[in-house]
Amino acid sequence: MILAFETSTDLCSVAYQNSVGTIFEKRIHGRSVHSDNLFLFIHELMKEHNFSIDQIHTVLVSNGPGSYTGLRIAASAVKGIFFQSNVAVFAVNTLVGFAASQLNSFKGVVHAIIDARRSHVYHKKFELSEQLIATSETTIMEISDLEVQLEPKQALIGTGIDRLDLKKLFGLSIFQLDSISATNLIKLYNTFPLSSFFERSSLEMLNPNYITSSQVNNASA
């Protein structure tokens, strides 16, 4: 059984996969929704699908880039819930999870982004076919620099898309909040369980991989 968490944006999503592979998800979108809903979703899933925490063998956590507060809440929740357990914990780059939403539905270049405020976005580029291949590092860049990279027939997924020049979006496949979820992490894990996208962690070492304000400042320099 698997439990997965996606809290890197204003979306709070918790997904559960049972012993026969069926996935269930709870999600909500809004400002500051993580602290009020994360534990609630876990308890609701446990009650509705009749499982206990000690039956979970794998935990998947979207660990950044993204909102420091949201990422920290998920990491802290996992540490508290699974304290002194032997559960396998895997940290997953948030932008990989975004791109994974289009497995089996899109082929080509995918740009995964998160709104980084100011004039920036977090960005990672992928080639998606039968495989999911990262073709760039995770970076923070000016929106104008991202716009230069966009070409028709590519895909753009994530948050902050409404901040781009509409003319630059012509001919692109656009995927926004509806395509972001903890379910993506489970589907990616089921498809590529030994992938380097999954970093084996521990409860003690699980920490968000967020980008600091100084790195934003450096990107502006």
Side-chain angles (χ1 to χ4, degrees):
M1 297 183 183
I2 301 173
L3 205 58
F5 301 86
E6 171 55 74
T7 60
S8 62
T9 68
D10 285 344
L11 175 75
C12 177
S13 169
V14 180
Y16 160 69
Q17 178 176 281
N18 66 16
S19 58
V20 297
T22 306
I23 301 173
F24 306 91
E25 181 189 359
K26 297 283 185 177
R27 60 189 284 135
I28 188 172
H29 173 250
R31 292 179 61 85
S32 304
V33 297
H34 306 94
S35 58
D36 289 337
N37 292 279
L38 191 104
F39 287 99
L40 174 64
F41 287 167
I42 295 169
H43 287 298
E44 287 180 346
L45 287 167
M46 291 172 62
K47 182 177 181 180
E48 292 170 11
H49 304 290
N50 193 30
F51 71 93
S52 59
I53 288 298
D54 59 8
Q55 292 177 289
I56 300 296
H57 58 70
T58 303
V59 174
L60 310 175
V61 185
S62 173
N63 78 323
S67 161
Y68 170 71
T69 300
L71 295 170
R72 179 179 54 80
I73 288 172
S76 298
V78 169
K79 291 179 179 182
I81 294 169
F82 293 96
F83 179 68
Q84 291 188 333
S85 78
N86 294 318
V87 69
V89 180
F90 294 92
V92 190
N93 180 287
T94 295
L95 297 173
V96 173
F98 287 12
S101 70
Q102 301 311 310
L103 284 169
N104 303 318
S105 62
F106 180 88
K107 292 185 178 180
V109 174
V110 176
H111 298 269
I113 67 170
I114 299 177
D115 188 354
R117 314 292 179 174
R118 301 186 184 180
S119 58
H120 298 88
V121 290
Y122 304 114
H123 172 264
K124 194 173 184 70
K125 187 177 178 181
F126 302 86
E127 183 70 35
L128 186 58
S129 55
E130 287 76 19
Q131 299 290 321
L132 177 62
I133 302 171
T135 57
S136 78
E137 298 295 324
T138 302
T139 60
I140 184 166
M141 64 170 58
E142 291 273 358
I143 289 174
S144 58
D145 292 334
L146 169 64
E147 290 173 338
V148 171
Q149 295 190 33
L150 300 176
E151 298 180 7
K153 297 185 179 180
Q154 295 181 346
L156 185 63
I157 178 170
T159 65
I161 296 175
D162 57 337
R163 302 178 64 201
L164 276 67
D165 184 342
L166 285 176
K167 295 178 181 178
K168 302 296 183 179
L169 302 181
F170 180 77
L172 272 71
S173 297
I174 305 296
F175 306 97
Q176 301 192 64
L177 278 177
D178 287 346
S179 296
I180 299 173
S181 76
T183 296
N184 297 336
L185 306 183
I186 297 179
K187 290 182 176 179
L188 182 65
Y189 183 79
N190 290 339
T191 306
F192 307 115
L194 301 178
S195 168
S196 60
F197 292 137
F198 295 93
E199 179 182 352
R200 184 68 184 261
S201 186
S202 66
L203 296 175
E204 295 77 13
M205 298 299 294
L206 181 64
N207 290 301
N209 180 25
Y210 60 93
I211 296 179
T212 66
S213 58
S214 63
Q215 290 170 290
V216 174
N217 292 336
N218 289 337
S220 302

